Amino acid sequence: MAQFNFENSPSPPSPQASAQLLPEAIRQGSPVGPRLVGGTSFTGKSALDLAQIQILAQACLQGLDAARQVVFGWQRQGQSLEDIYLQGITPCARLLGDWWCSDRLDFAMTTIASTHLQQLLHDFSAEFLHETPAQSNGLSLLLMTEPGAQHSMGLLMLSEFFKRAGWLVTLGVPQDMAEFKRLFQSEWFDAVGISVSTDRHLDAMNSVLPQLLAGADNLAVRLFVGGPMAHVAPHRLVGMPGQVVAQDAPGTVAWLKLQMALPLAKGV
């Protein structure tokens, strides 16, 4: 899932300049809602295309209610929430990032739209978990970001897929290395997944993770590393003591299920 690092971004432009950065449909006041996604342009269920993803992005800029209406419209077209998460929300996050990088959106608008996109995952969580519910598998999983991460939407989505597969999931967004270590040591975990989106803490994590693994309640805990860097710069993660996983959410769930059935390799 795309995540954005705004720490080195320029100061947000003035309100007048911000208005010029908005996508054309929003500048012109075009409404975003059910009538744009109500099925008049589609015959039955079809894959979510770029035009529909742009509609969701524009809706997220208009407000949370508008974004919800787009999702409701997609559901009326026959899309499952899994389809919407993977084919709609995930590429929409990337699109918002592209708009920001190309100066079509400023810092404030990108943050607001991304917040609305993440809120959709919270709003539809109960419904998503009941789409294809699974019995508890008795396994516990800690999913956390690197220390000081700015965004965690990708990890939140991944946690939803693991919950639906029967895992007991703890989600953590540590603010610093001390909290990162505390979360790792907080209780027994069968597996730990870490999302890495920058290289700021790679050296620190490479140094502390072997110690955390050696002192873990579960000495057979499975550690894996994913996130944006696993997709764009996986070579930077090679030195970490966990396995690098660069799959989508269902693929990651399937991968870890397989790993749990295998003997733990020495040194992992």
Side-chain angles (χ1 to χ4, degrees), residues 122-185:
H122 289 286
D123 291 350
F124 288 92
S125 176
E127 186 177 346
F128 175 77
L129 295 179
H130 283 89
E131 267 193 352
T132 55
Q135 295 294 319
S136 171
N137 61 15
L139 298 174
S140 62
L141 170 67
L142 170 64
L143 291 175
M144 61 178 172
T145 64
E146 65 187 279
Q150 304 251 339
H151 293 270
S152 57
M153 188 176 74
L155 203 63
L156 173 60
M157 181 179 294
L158 180 60
S159 74
E160 292 290 280
F161 278 86
F162 270 108
K163 289 177 184 177
R164 197 171 69 167
W167 288 75
L168 176 63
V169 180
T170 299
L171 192 63
V173 185
Q175 295 306 300
D176 51 33
M177 187 55 69
E179 188 177 2
F180 180 89
K181 292 189 286 187
R182 182 187 62 77
L183 283 168
F184 199 107
Q185 299 170 322

Short mmCIF file of all heavy atoms in Angstrom, two decimals, residues 122-185:
data_model
loop_
_atom_site.label_atom_id
_atom_site.label_comp_id
_atom_site.label_asym_id
_atom_site.label_seq_id
_atom_site.Cartn_x
_atom_site.Cartn_y
_atom_site.Cartn_z
N HIS A 122 -12.15 1.83 8.54
CA HIS A 122 -12.78 1.72 9.85
C HIS A 122 -14.29 1.55 9.71
O HIS A 122 -14.90 0.71 10.37
CB HIS A 122 -12.46 2.95 10.70
CG HIS A 122 -11.05 3.04 11.17
ND1 HIS A 122 -10.55 2.25 12.18
CD2 HIS A 122 -10.02 3.83 10.76
CE1 HIS A 122 -9.27 2.53 12.38
NE2 HIS A 122 -8.93 3.49 11.54
N ASP A 123 -14.89 2.36 8.85
CA ASP A 123 -16.35 2.36 8.71
C ASP A 123 -16.89 1.03 8.21
O ASP A 123 -17.96 0.59 8.61
CB ASP A 123 -16.79 3.47 7.75
CG ASP A 123 -16.58 4.86 8.32
OD1 ASP A 123 -16.27 4.97 9.52
OD2 ASP A 123 -16.69 5.85 7.56
N PHE A 124 -16.15 0.39 7.29
CA PHE A 124 -16.63 -0.85 6.68
C PHE A 124 -16.01 -2.09 7.31
O PHE A 124 -16.21 -3.20 6.81
CB PHE A 124 -16.36 -0.83 5.17
CG PHE A 124 -17.25 0.13 4.41
CD1 PHE A 124 -16.85 1.43 4.17
CD2 PHE A 124 -18.50 -0.27 3.97
CE1 PHE A 124 -17.67 2.32 3.49
CE2 PHE A 124 -19.33 0.60 3.29
CZ PHE A 124 -18.91 1.90 3.05
N SER A 125 -15.29 -1.92 8.41
CA SER A 125 -14.56 -3.04 9.02
C SER A 125 -15.48 -4.19 9.39
O SER A 125 -15.22 -5.35 9.01
CB SER A 125 -13.80 -2.57 10.25
OG SER A 125 -13.17 -3.66 10.90
N ALA A 126 -16.53 -3.91 10.13
CA ALA A 126 -17.42 -5.00 10.58
C ALA A 126 -18.02 -5.74 9.40
O ALA A 126 -18.09 -6.99 9.40
CB ALA A 126 -18.52 -4.43 11.48
N GLU A 127 -18.45 -5.01 8.38
CA GLU A 127 -19.03 -5.65 7.19
C GLU A 127 -17.99 -6.47 6.45
O GLU A 127 -18.28 -7.58 5.98
CB GLU A 127 -19.60 -4.56 6.27
CG GLU A 127 -20.36 -5.10 5.08
CD GLU A 127 -20.97 -4.00 4.23
OE1 GLU A 127 -21.05 -2.85 4.70
OE2 GLU A 127 -21.36 -4.31 3.08
N PHE A 128 -16.77 -5.94 6.35
CA PHE A 128 -15.70 -6.68 5.67
C PHE A 128 -15.38 -7.99 6.39
O PHE A 128 -15.23 -9.03 5.76
CB PHE A 128 -14.45 -5.81 5.60
CG PHE A 128 -13.24 -6.51 5.02
CD1 PHE A 128 -13.12 -6.71 3.66
CD2 PHE A 128 -12.23 -6.98 5.86
CE1 PHE A 128 -12.02 -7.37 3.12
CE2 PHE A 128 -11.13 -7.63 5.34
CZ PHE A 128 -11.02 -7.82 3.96
N LEU A 129 -15.30 -7.94 7.71
CA LEU A 129 -14.95 -9.13 8.48
C LEU A 129 -16.03 -10.20 8.39
O LEU A 129 -15.75 -11.38 8.60
CB LEU A 129 -14.70 -8.77 9.94
CG LEU A 129 -13.49 -7.86 10.21
CD1 LEU A 129 -13.37 -7.54 11.69
CD2 LEU A 129 -12.21 -8.48 9.69
N HIS A 130 -17.26 -9.80 8.06
CA HIS A 130 -18.35 -10.78 7.95
C HIS A 130 -18.61 -11.24 6.53
O HIS A 130 -19.47 -12.08 6.30
CB HIS A 130 -19.64 -10.18 8.55
CG HIS A 130 -19.65 -10.19 10.05
ND1 HIS A 130 -19.15 -9.14 10.78
CD2 HIS A 130 -20.06 -11.12 10.94
CE1 HIS A 130 -19.29 -9.41 12.08
NE2 HIS A 130 -19.82 -10.60 12.20
N GLU A 131 -17.87 -10.68 5.54
CA GLU A 131 -18.08 -11.12 4.15
C GLU A 131 -17.74 -12.60 4.00
O GLU A 131 -18.50 -13.36 3.42
CB GLU A 131 -17.21 -10.28 3.20
CG GLU A 131 -17.91 -9.08 2.63
CD GLU A 131 -17.15 -8.47 1.47
OE1 GLU A 131 -15.99 -8.88 1.20
OE2 GLU A 131 -17.71 -7.56 0.82
N THR A 132 -16.57 -12.97 4.45
CA THR A 132 -16.15 -14.39 4.42
C THR A 132 -15.47 -14.71 5.74
O THR A 132 -14.25 -14.87 5.80
CB THR A 132 -15.17 -14.66 3.25
OG1 THR A 132 -14.06 -13.75 3.35
CG2 THR A 132 -15.87 -14.49 1.92
N PRO A 133 -16.25 -14.81 6.83
CA PRO A 133 -15.65 -15.00 8.16
C PRO A 133 -14.99 -16.36 8.30
O PRO A 133 -15.42 -17.34 7.69
CB PRO A 133 -16.85 -14.85 9.10
CG PRO A 133 -18.03 -15.24 8.26
CD PRO A 133 -17.71 -14.78 6.86
N ALA A 134 -13.93 -16.40 9.10
CA ALA A 134 -13.22 -17.65 9.39
C ALA A 134 -13.18 -17.86 10.89
O ALA A 134 -13.22 -16.91 11.67
CB ALA A 134 -11.80 -17.61 8.82
N GLN A 135 -13.12 -19.11 11.30
CA GLN A 135 -12.97 -19.41 12.71
C GLN A 135 -11.59 -18.98 13.18
O GLN A 135 -10.63 -18.95 12.41
CB GLN A 135 -13.15 -20.91 12.93
CG GLN A 135 -14.55 -21.44 12.63
CD GLN A 135 -15.58 -20.88 13.59
OE1 GLN A 135 -15.35 -20.75 14.79
NE2 GLN A 135 -16.74 -20.54 13.05
N SER A 136 -11.48 -18.65 14.46
CA SER A 136 -10.18 -18.29 15.02
C SER A 136 -9.19 -19.43 14.82
O SER A 136 -9.52 -20.60 15.02
CB SER A 136 -10.33 -17.98 16.51
OG SER A 136 -9.05 -17.82 17.10
N ASN A 137 -7.98 -19.09 14.40
CA ASN A 137 -6.95 -20.11 14.23
C ASN A 137 -6.05 -20.23 15.46
O ASN A 137 -5.09 -21.00 15.46
CB ASN A 137 -6.11 -19.84 12.98
CG ASN A 137 -5.38 -18.50 13.03
OD1 ASN A 137 -5.26 -17.87 14.09
ND2 ASN A 137 -4.88 -18.05 11.89
N GLY A 138 -6.35 -19.43 16.49
CA GLY A 138 -5.58 -19.50 17.72
C GLY A 138 -4.21 -18.85 17.66
O GLY A 138 -3.42 -18.97 18.60
N LEU A 139 -3.92 -18.13 16.57
CA LEU A 139 -2.61 -17.51 16.40
C LEU A 139 -2.70 -16.00 16.60
O LEU A 139 -3.69 -15.37 16.23
CB LEU A 139 -2.07 -17.82 15.00
CG LEU A 139 -1.84 -19.30 14.68
CD1 LEU A 139 -1.45 -19.47 13.22
CD2 LEU A 139 -0.76 -19.88 15.59
N SER A 140 -1.64 -15.43 17.15
CA SER A 140 -1.61 -13.98 17.41
C SER A 140 -0.54 -13.32 16.56
O SER A 140 0.53 -13.90 16.31
CB SER A 140 -1.34 -13.71 18.89
OG SER A 140 -0.07 -14.24 19.28
N LEU A 141 -0.83 -12.12 16.13
CA LEU A 141 0.05 -11.40 15.22
C LEU A 141 0.18 -9.95 15.65
O LEU A 141 -0.81 -9.29 15.94
CB LEU A 141 -0.54 -11.47 13.79
CG LEU A 141 0.11 -10.58 12.72
CD1 LEU A 141 1.53 -11.04 12.42
CD2 LEU A 141 -0.75 -10.60 11.44
N LEU A 142 1.41 -9.46 15.69
CA LEU A 142 1.67 -8.04 15.89
C LEU A 142 2.05 -7.43 14.55
O LEU A 142 2.99 -7.88 13.89
CB LEU A 142 2.82 -7.84 16.89
CG LEU A 142 3.36 -6.40 17.02
CD1 LEU A 142 2.29 -5.46 17.56
CD2 LEU A 142 4.62 -6.37 17.89
N LEU A 143 1.31 -6.42 14.13
CA LEU A 143 1.63 -5.66 12.94
C LEU A 143 1.96 -4.24 13.37
O LEU A 143 1.14 -3.60 14.04
CB LEU A 143 0.45 -5.63 11.95
CG LEU A 143 0.08 -6.94 11.26
CD1 LEU A 143 -1.18 -6.76 10.42
CD2 LEU A 143 1.23 -7.43 10.38
N MET A 144 3.13 -3.76 13.01
CA MET A 144 3.47 -2.39 13.39
C MET A 144 4.32 -1.71 12.33
O MET A 144 4.98 -2.37 11.52
CB MET A 144 4.16 -2.34 14.75
CG MET A 144 5.47 -3.06 14.89
SD MET A 144 6.14 -2.81 16.57
CE MET A 144 7.52 -3.95 16.53
N THR A 145 4.27 -0.40 12.36
CA THR A 145 5.08 0.41 11.46
C THR A 145 6.47 0.59 12.05
O THR A 145 6.72 0.27 13.21
CB THR A 145 4.46 1.80 11.26
OG1 THR A 145 4.46 2.49 12.53
CG2 THR A 145 3.02 1.71 10.75
N GLU A 146 7.36 1.11 11.22
CA GLU A 146 8.64 1.57 11.74
C GLU A 146 8.38 2.73 12.72
O GLU A 146 7.31 3.35 12.68
CB GLU A 146 9.51 2.06 10.59
CG GLU A 146 8.91 3.30 9.91
CD GLU A 146 9.66 3.70 8.66
OE1 GLU A 146 10.70 4.35 8.80
OE2 GLU A 146 9.21 3.35 7.57
N PRO A 147 9.32 3.04 13.61
CA PRO A 147 9.11 4.16 14.53
C PRO A 147 8.88 5.47 13.79
O PRO A 147 9.55 5.77 12.80
CB PRO A 147 10.41 4.20 15.34
CG PRO A 147 10.96 2.82 15.25
CD PRO A 147 10.60 2.33 13.87
N GLY A 148 7.91 6.24 14.27
CA GLY A 148 7.66 7.56 13.72
C GLY A 148 7.03 7.59 12.35
O GLY A 148 7.07 8.61 11.67
N ALA A 149 6.40 6.50 11.93
CA ALA A 149 5.77 6.47 10.61
C ALA A 149 4.64 7.50 10.52
O ALA A 149 3.91 7.72 11.49
CB ALA A 149 5.23 5.08 10.32
N GLN A 150 4.50 8.12 9.36
CA GLN A 150 3.50 9.16 9.17
C GLN A 150 2.13 8.60 8.80
O GLN A 150 1.12 9.21 9.08
CB GLN A 150 3.97 10.13 8.07
CG GLN A 150 5.31 10.75 8.32
CD GLN A 150 5.23 12.22 8.64
OE1 GLN A 150 4.25 12.88 8.34
NE2 GLN A 150 6.26 12.73 9.29
N HIS A 151 2.12 7.44 8.15
CA HIS A 151 0.85 6.87 7.69
C HIS A 151 0.84 5.36 7.92
O HIS A 151 1.88 4.71 7.86
CB HIS A 151 0.62 7.17 6.20
CG HIS A 151 0.41 8.64 5.94
ND1 HIS A 151 -0.83 9.23 5.98
CD2 HIS A 151 1.30 9.63 5.68
CE1 HIS A 151 -0.70 10.53 5.74
NE2 HIS A 151 0.58 10.79 5.56
N SER A 152 -0.34 4.84 8.18
CA SER A 152 -0.44 3.41 8.50
C SER A 152 -1.62 2.74 7.81
O SER A 152 -2.05 1.67 8.21
CB SER A 152 -0.58 3.23 10.02
OG SER A 152 -1.70 3.94 10.53
N MET A 153 -2.15 3.37 6.73
CA MET A 153 -3.34 2.82 6.10
C MET A 153 -3.09 1.44 5.51
O MET A 153 -3.93 0.55 5.62
CB MET A 153 -3.86 3.75 5.01
CG MET A 153 -5.21 3.31 4.45
SD MET A 153 -5.88 4.45 3.25
CE MET A 153 -4.83 4.08 1.85
N GLY A 154 -1.93 1.24 4.90
CA GLY A 154 -1.62 -0.07 4.33
C GLY A 154 -1.59 -1.15 5.39
O GLY A 154 -2.09 -2.26 5.18
N LEU A 155 -1.03 -0.83 6.54
CA LEU A 155 -0.95 -1.80 7.63
C LEU A 155 -2.34 -2.07 8.20
O LEU A 155 -2.66 -3.20 8.57
CB LEU A 155 -0.02 -1.28 8.73
CG LEU A 155 0.60 -2.34 9.64
CD1 LEU A 155 1.50 -3.28 8.84
CD2 LEU A 155 1.37 -1.70 10.77
N LEU A 156 -3.17 -1.03 8.28
CA LEU A 156 -4.54 -1.21 8.76
C LEU A 156 -5.30 -2.15 7.83
O LEU A 156 -6.01 -3.06 8.30
CB LEU A 156 -5.26 0.14 8.84
CG LEU A 156 -6.75 0.10 9.16
CD1 LEU A 156 -7.00 -0.56 10.52
CD2 LEU A 156 -7.33 1.52 9.14
N MET A 157 -5.16 -1.97 6.52
CA MET A 157 -5.84 -2.86 5.59
C MET A 157 -5.34 -4.29 5.74
O MET A 157 -6.12 -5.24 5.76
CB MET A 157 -5.64 -2.39 4.15
CG MET A 157 -6.34 -3.28 3.14
SD MET A 157 -6.15 -2.73 1.43
CE MET A 157 -7.05 -1.18 1.44
N LEU A 158 -4.02 -4.45 5.88
CA LEU A 158 -3.46 -5.79 6.05
C LEU A 158 -4.02 -6.45 7.31
O LEU A 158 -4.34 -7.64 7.31
CB LEU A 158 -1.94 -5.72 6.13
CG LEU A 158 -1.18 -7.03 6.30
CD1 LEU A 158 -1.46 -7.98 5.14
CD2 LEU A 158 0.31 -6.77 6.44
N SER A 159 -4.16 -5.67 8.37
CA SER A 159 -4.69 -6.23 9.62
C SER A 159 -6.12 -6.73 9.44
O SER A 159 -6.50 -7.75 10.04
CB SER A 159 -4.64 -5.18 10.73
OG SER A 159 -5.64 -4.18 10.58
N GLU A 160 -6.90 -6.06 8.61
CA GLU A 160 -8.28 -6.49 8.37
C GLU A 160 -8.31 -7.86 7.69
O GLU A 160 -9.14 -8.72 8.02
CB GLU A 160 -9.01 -5.46 7.52
CG GLU A 160 -9.25 -4.13 8.21
CD GLU A 160 -10.29 -4.25 9.31
OE1 GLU A 160 -11.50 -4.27 9.01
OE2 GLU A 160 -9.87 -4.35 10.49
N PHE A 161 -7.41 -8.08 6.74
CA PHE A 161 -7.36 -9.37 6.05
C PHE A 161 -6.90 -10.48 7.00
O PHE A 161 -7.41 -11.60 6.94
CB PHE A 161 -6.45 -9.29 4.83
CG PHE A 161 -7.10 -8.69 3.62
CD1 PHE A 161 -7.13 -7.31 3.42
CD2 PHE A 161 -7.72 -9.51 2.67
CE1 PHE A 161 -7.74 -6.76 2.31
CE2 PHE A 161 -8.34 -8.96 1.55
CZ PHE A 161 -8.35 -7.59 1.37
N PHE A 162 -5.97 -10.18 7.88
CA PHE A 162 -5.53 -11.19 8.85
C PHE A 162 -6.65 -11.50 9.86
O PHE A 162 -6.87 -12.66 10.21
CB PHE A 162 -4.28 -10.73 9.58
CG PHE A 162 -3.00 -11.14 8.90
CD1 PHE A 162 -2.21 -10.20 8.25
CD2 PHE A 162 -2.59 -12.46 8.90
CE1 PHE A 162 -1.04 -10.58 7.61
CE2 PHE A 162 -1.42 -12.86 8.26
CZ PHE A 162 -0.64 -11.91 7.62
N LYS A 163 -7.36 -10.48 10.31
CA LYS A 163 -8.48 -10.71 11.24
C LYS A 163 -9.53 -11.60 10.58
O LYS A 163 -10.06 -12.52 11.21
CB LYS A 163 -9.11 -9.38 11.64
CG LYS A 163 -8.27 -8.53 12.57
CD LYS A 163 -8.97 -7.20 12.85
CE LYS A 163 -8.12 -6.28 13.69
NZ LYS A 163 -8.79 -4.96 13.89
N ARG A 164 -9.81 -11.32 9.32
CA ARG A 164 -10.84 -12.11 8.63
C ARG A 164 -10.40 -13.55 8.43
O ARG A 164 -11.23 -14.45 8.30
CB ARG A 164 -11.16 -11.46 7.27
CG ARG A 164 -12.47 -11.95 6.68
CD ARG A 164 -12.88 -11.17 5.47
NE ARG A 164 -12.02 -11.40 4.33
CZ ARG A 164 -12.31 -11.03 3.08
NH1 ARG A 164 -13.47 -10.40 2.84
NH2 ARG A 164 -11.50 -11.26 2.08
N ALA A 165 -9.07 -13.78 8.43
CA ALA A 165 -8.55 -15.14 8.29
C ALA A 165 -8.43 -15.86 9.63
O ALA A 165 -7.93 -16.99 9.67
CB ALA A 165 -7.19 -15.09 7.60
N GLY A 166 -8.88 -15.21 10.72
CA GLY A 166 -8.91 -15.88 12.01
C GLY A 166 -7.78 -15.55 12.96
O GLY A 166 -7.66 -16.13 14.03
N TRP A 167 -6.93 -14.59 12.58
CA TRP A 167 -5.82 -14.20 13.45
C TRP A 167 -6.29 -13.19 14.51
O TRP A 167 -7.18 -12.38 14.26
CB TRP A 167 -4.71 -13.55 12.64
CG TRP A 167 -3.91 -14.49 11.78
CD1 TRP A 167 -4.30 -15.06 10.60
CD2 TRP A 167 -2.59 -14.96 12.04
NE1 TRP A 167 -3.30 -15.86 10.10
CE2 TRP A 167 -2.23 -15.82 10.96
CE3 TRP A 167 -1.66 -14.75 13.06
CZ2 TRP A 167 -1.00 -16.45 10.88
CZ3 TRP A 167 -0.42 -15.38 12.99
CH2 TRP A 167 -0.11 -16.22 11.92
N LEU A 168 -5.66 -13.25 15.69
CA LEU A 168 -5.81 -12.20 16.70
C LEU A 168 -4.73 -11.18 16.44
O LEU A 168 -3.53 -11.47 16.60
CB LEU A 168 -5.68 -12.80 18.10
CG LEU A 168 -5.74 -11.79 19.26
CD1 LEU A 168 -7.09 -11.10 19.31
CD2 LEU A 168 -5.42 -12.48 20.59
N VAL A 169 -5.12 -9.97 16.04
CA VAL A 169 -4.17 -8.98 15.55
C VAL A 169 -4.03 -7.82 16.52
O VAL A 169 -5.02 -7.26 16.98
CB VAL A 169 -4.59 -8.45 14.17
CG1 VAL A 169 -3.58 -7.41 13.67
CG2 VAL A 169 -4.72 -9.59 13.17
N THR A 170 -2.79 -7.46 16.82
CA THR A 170 -2.46 -6.24 17.54
C THR A 170 -1.81 -5.29 16.55
O THR A 170 -0.85 -5.66 15.87
CB THR A 170 -1.49 -6.51 18.71
OG1 THR A 170 -2.11 -7.41 19.63
CG2 THR A 170 -1.12 -5.21 19.42
N LEU A 171 -2.34 -4.06 16.46
CA LEU A 171 -1.83 -3.08 15.50
C LEU A 171 -1.10 -1.99 16.26
O LEU A 171 -1.65 -1.42 17.22
CB LEU A 171 -3.00 -2.49 14.70
CG LEU A 171 -2.68 -1.67 13.46
CD1 LEU A 171 -1.97 -2.51 12.41
CD2 LEU A 171 -3.95 -1.06 12.88
N GLY A 172 0.13 -1.69 15.86
CA GLY A 172 0.91 -0.69 16.56
C GLY A 172 1.53 0.33 15.63
O GLY A 172 2.01 -0.02 14.55
N VAL A 173 1.53 1.60 16.06
CA VAL A 173 2.19 2.68 15.32
C VAL A 173 3.12 3.38 16.31
O VAL A 173 2.79 4.44 16.85
CB VAL A 173 1.17 3.67 14.72
CG1 VAL A 173 1.87 4.72 13.86
CG2 VAL A 173 0.12 2.93 13.89
N PRO A 174 4.30 2.80 16.59
CA PRO A 174 5.20 3.37 17.60
C PRO A 174 5.74 4.73 17.18
O PRO A 174 6.08 4.95 16.02
CB PRO A 174 6.31 2.33 17.71
CG PRO A 174 6.30 1.63 16.38
CD PRO A 174 4.86 1.59 15.96
N GLN A 175 5.83 5.63 18.15
CA GLN A 175 6.33 6.97 17.86
C GLN A 175 7.85 7.04 17.89
O GLN A 175 8.43 7.95 17.30
CB GLN A 175 5.73 7.97 18.85
CG GLN A 175 4.22 8.12 18.72
CD GLN A 175 3.80 8.47 17.31
OE1 GLN A 175 4.22 9.51 16.78
NE2 GLN A 175 2.99 7.63 16.68
N ASP A 176 8.49 6.12 18.62
CA ASP A 176 9.95 6.13 18.70
C ASP A 176 10.44 4.70 18.92
O ASP A 176 9.65 3.76 19.03
CB ASP A 176 10.42 7.05 19.83
CG ASP A 176 9.73 6.77 21.16
OD1 ASP A 176 9.40 5.59 21.43
OD2 ASP A 176 9.52 7.71 21.94
N MET A 177 11.76 4.54 18.99
CA MET A 177 12.33 3.21 19.11
C MET A 177 11.99 2.57 20.46
O MET A 177 11.81 1.35 20.55
CB MET A 177 13.85 3.28 18.93
CG MET A 177 14.52 1.91 18.89
SD MET A 177 13.86 0.79 17.62
CE MET A 177 14.42 1.61 16.13
N ALA A 178 11.86 3.37 21.50
CA ALA A 178 11.50 2.83 22.81
C ALA A 178 10.12 2.17 22.76
O ALA A 178 9.92 1.07 23.31
CB ALA A 178 11.53 3.93 23.87
N GLU A 179 9.16 2.83 22.10
CA GLU A 179 7.82 2.26 21.99
C GLU A 179 7.83 1.06 21.04
O GLU A 179 7.08 0.09 21.26
CB GLU A 179 6.83 3.31 21.50
CG GLU A 179 5.38 2.85 21.54
CD GLU A 179 4.40 3.91 21.12
OE1 GLU A 179 4.81 5.02 20.75
OE2 GLU A 179 3.18 3.61 21.17
N PHE A 180 8.67 1.11 20.02
CA PHE A 180 8.81 -0.02 19.11
C PHE A 180 9.23 -1.27 19.89
O PHE A 180 8.64 -2.35 19.74
CB PHE A 180 9.87 0.33 18.05
CG PHE A 180 10.15 -0.74 17.03
CD1 PHE A 180 9.42 -0.81 15.85
CD2 PHE A 180 11.16 -1.67 17.25
CE1 PHE A 180 9.71 -1.79 14.91
CE2 PHE A 180 11.44 -2.65 16.31
CZ PHE A 180 10.71 -2.71 15.13
N LYS A 181 10.22 -1.13 20.76
CA LYS A 181 10.69 -2.27 21.56
C LYS A 181 9.62 -2.71 22.56
O LYS A 181 9.43 -3.91 22.79
CB LYS A 181 11.98 -1.89 22.28
CG LYS A 181 13.17 -1.70 21.34
CD LYS A 181 14.47 -1.55 22.09
CE LYS A 181 14.59 -0.20 22.73
NZ LYS A 181 15.94 -0.01 23.33
N ARG A 182 8.93 -1.75 23.17
CA ARG A 182 7.90 -2.10 24.15
C ARG A 182 6.78 -2.91 23.50
O ARG A 182 6.31 -3.90 24.09
CB ARG A 182 7.33 -0.83 24.79
CG ARG A 182 6.28 -1.11 25.87
CD ARG A 182 5.63 0.16 26.36
NE ARG A 182 4.90 0.85 25.30
CZ ARG A 182 3.71 0.48 24.85
NH1 ARG A 182 3.11 -0.60 25.35
NH2 ARG A 182 3.12 1.17 23.91
N LEU A 183 6.34 -2.51 22.31
CA LEU A 183 5.29 -3.24 21.62
C LEU A 183 5.74 -4.67 21.29
O LEU A 183 4.98 -5.63 21.47
CB LEU A 183 4.90 -2.51 20.33
CG LEU A 183 4.02 -1.28 20.48
CD1 LEU A 183 3.96 -0.49 19.18
CD2 LEU A 183 2.61 -1.68 20.91
N PHE A 184 6.97 -4.81 20.83
CA PHE A 184 7.48 -6.13 20.47
C PHE A 184 7.49 -7.05 21.69
O PHE A 184 7.22 -8.26 21.59
CB PHE A 184 8.90 -5.99 19.90
CG PHE A 184 9.36 -7.17 19.09
CD1 PHE A 184 9.46 -7.08 17.71
CD2 PHE A 184 9.70 -8.37 19.69
CE1 PHE A 184 9.89 -8.16 16.95
CE2 PHE A 184 10.13 -9.46 18.94
CZ PHE A 184 10.22 -9.36 17.57
N GLN A 185 7.78 -6.49 22.86
CA GLN A 185 7.92 -7.27 24.08
C GLN A 185 6.65 -7.31 24.91
O GLN A 185 6.65 -7.88 26.01
CB GLN A 185 9.06 -6.69 24.93
CG GLN A 185 10.41 -6.72 24.24
CD GLN A 185 11.47 -5.93 24.99
OE1 GLN A 185 11.19 -4.86 25.54
NE2 GLN A 185 12.69 -6.44 25.02
#
